[in-house]
Amino acid sequence: MRLRWMTSMLGAAAVAAASCAAPPTPMAAAPQPVSSPRRQHPQVSERESPTDVYAHDRPGMLDPKVRNVTPRVYVPNSESGTVDVINPRTFQVVRHFRVGSLPQHVVPSWDLRTLWVNENKGNNLTPIDPVTGRPGRPVPVDDPYNLYFTPDGSYALVMAERNNRLDFRDPRTMRLVRSLPLPCRGVNHGDFTADGSVFLASCEFSGQLVAIDWKRPRVRKVISVGAGNMPQDVKLSPDGRVFYVADMMAGGTWIIDAAAFRRLGFLRTGKGAHGLYVSRDSRSLYVSNRDEGTVSVVSFAGRKVVDRWRIPGGGSPDMGGVSADGKQLWLSGRYHGVVYVFSTGTGKLLHTIKVGRGPHGLCFFPQPGRYSLGHTGVFR
């Protein structure tokens, strides 16, 4: 989420307590659909395992393309306009380079060959070669707050947050193909249904979610989570039945039916619930609670909080990812200029690594999986 929300936090907090009241009337759906997109990679099925959509994300299941890539952690420092590169074995910053204005996330491409730095105000995507760890020439792209890829690899989906659009682009050249105006404000994160047909995206500035049929493309449904709330990260459960949606102002995660696209419930995890990460065994969901310096562990089977990890002295855990072996959770410390490394076995904070100002969507790469759906590492 862009840092500008802080200026209105006091006002937003006043309505947060009442945010679970009757939701406002949903906005109208998007314009009539257009022709279906072409498939560039028909060899990859959009249908995942009926029992575990993360079945290909187990430790050791690295794609042959990245098996020999040296593991690194890429940290975009939003306020510094830089990227720090960390060696996860030594926990030391080994490279540092400047990028455009307000880098928000580092996103693995669908084919795992490129990492893209999303420069929100700089209006660029800067490619990083994961083999060398070095940046390439920036590609002009309007308003790239976040970046996703369709399950078949045919499109890159740019979350144009300030423009309230979903931009469909060529996944390699980033050439604009078409734009889908959205009936909500502040689109920022999302995930796909198990069959890959629908993209559920959060809109933080209007307290809404939008279910998008990306093939047509059109908005199928708008779901309100309450005026004054701010939905953030979105993650599908391993069985594909529900989505979890972190809500920073509500202090927890919404549970959304992945077939009917309606609210089923709410799970309180902590203040500033922001990022969602699935354990390598698909049993747990890690929720970073940015405003209270904790990480909540949610059991998928029980749909309840079973543990809470605390940062000694407090902190601001934000976005990141699970290490390839599943033993660590790496998160940026948004307001503290650091990166946190937690043990997923004990919940203890193992390391605090100093980086630039305003670190946001860090990316641990490589990770297991056949292809990337985007963000800081959503793999299938």
Side-chain angles (χ1 to χ4, degrees), residues 4 24 48 55 70 75 90 93 98 112 138 141 167 179 187 214-215 243 254 275 296 303 309 332-333 338 346 354 368:
R4 68 173 182 253
E48 305 299 343
T70 302
V75 187
T90 65
V93 175
R98 185 162 294 282
L112 312 178
V141 169
D167 288 342
S179 293
V187 62
W214 62 268
K215 292 183 178 181
F243 288 98
W254 298 99
S296 295
R303 294 185 185 175
W309 309 338
S332 59
V338 297
T346 66
K354 184 174 177 56

Side-chain angles (χ1 to χ4, degrees), residues 52-55 57-58 191 233-239 244 275-287 298 300 320-323 326 328-329 344 367 377-380:
D52 187 357
V53 299
Y54 304 108
D57 295 357
R58 299 289 186 261
D191 200 359
D233 205 2
V234 180
K235 200 66 80 247
L236 185 66
S237 63
D239 61 12
Y244 288 80
L276 304 175
Y277 311 96
V278 179
S279 64
R280 291 280 171 229
D281 60 8
S282 297
R283 294 180 179 178
S284 303
L285 179 70
Y286 307 125
V287 184
V298 173
F300 281 119
V322 178
S323 62
Q328 298 168 350
L329 175 64
T344 57
Q367 292 186 37
V378 181
F379 298 93
R380 294 285 194 270

Side-chain angles (χ1 to χ4, degrees), residues 140-363:
V141 169
D142 188 32
D143 191 17
Y145 174 80
N146 209 347
L147 177 64
Y148 289 84
F149 297 90
T150 56
D152 66 353
S154 61
Y155 288 123
L157 303 178
V158 171
M159 311 290 260
E161 185 188 53
R162 67 174 176 267
N163 292 326
N164 303 319
R165 293 193 323 248
L166 186 65
D167 288 342
F168 290 68
R169 293 179 176 270
D170 183 284
R172 292 188 177 87
T173 67
M174 293 301 165
R175 178 184 61 84
L176 181 65
V177 178
R178 62 170 60 91
S179 293
L180 177 66
L182 297 176
C184 63
R185 293 182 293 111
V187 62
N188 59 7
H189 300 91
D191 200 359
F192 293 86
T193 52
D195 66 0
S197 65
V198 177
F199 183 55
L200 184 70
S202 60
C203 298
E204 62 176 332
F205 299 138
S206 58
Q208 294 170 306
L209 309 171
V210 286
I212 300 167
D213 179 346
W214 62 268
K215 292 183 178 181
R216 299 186 68 170
R218 67 181 181 93
V219 173
R220 282 183 50 176
K221 192 171 183 180
V222 178
I223 309 160
S224 174
V225 295
N229 282 334
M230 300 184 78
Q232 303 292 312
D233 205 2
V234 180
K235 200 66 80 247
L236 185 66
S237 63
D239 61 12
R241 294 180 180 178
V242 299
F243 288 98
Y244 288 80
V245 181
D247 193 315
M248 197 168 66
M249 296 305 293
T253 63
W254 298 99
I255 300 176
I256 307 296
D257 188 303
F261 302 106
R262 61 183 178 88
R263 289 187 298 175
L264 294 179
F266 180 79
L267 185 60
R268 192 164 298 282
T269 63
K271 295 180 181 178
H274 200 76
L276 304 175
Y277 311 96
V278 179
S279 64
R280 291 280 171 229
D281 60 8
S282 297
R283 294 180 179 178
S284 303
L285 179 70
Y286 307 125
V287 184
S288 59
N289 303 308
R290 191 171 76 182
D291 295 343
E292 69 174 33
T294 68
V295 174
S296 295
V297 182
V298 173
S299 164
F300 281 119
R303 294 185 185 175
K304 62 181 180 179
V305 176
V306 295
D307 200 1
R308 183 167 295 181
W309 309 338
R310 299 187 182 276
I311 298 173
S316 52
D318 198 284
M319 289 291 178
V322 178
S323 62
D325 61 10
K327 295 180 179 180
Q328 298 168 350
L329 175 64
W330 288 66
L331 297 171
S332 59
R334 188 70 171 273
Y335 306 133
H336 292 75
V338 297
V339 167
Y340 307 113
V341 185
F342 294 88
S343 165
T344 57
T346 66
K348 300 296 185 183
L349 182 65
L350 301 176
H351 298 276
T352 301
I353 306 165
K354 184 174 177 56
V355 291
R357 290 181 291 112
H360 191 188
L362 73 78
C363 175

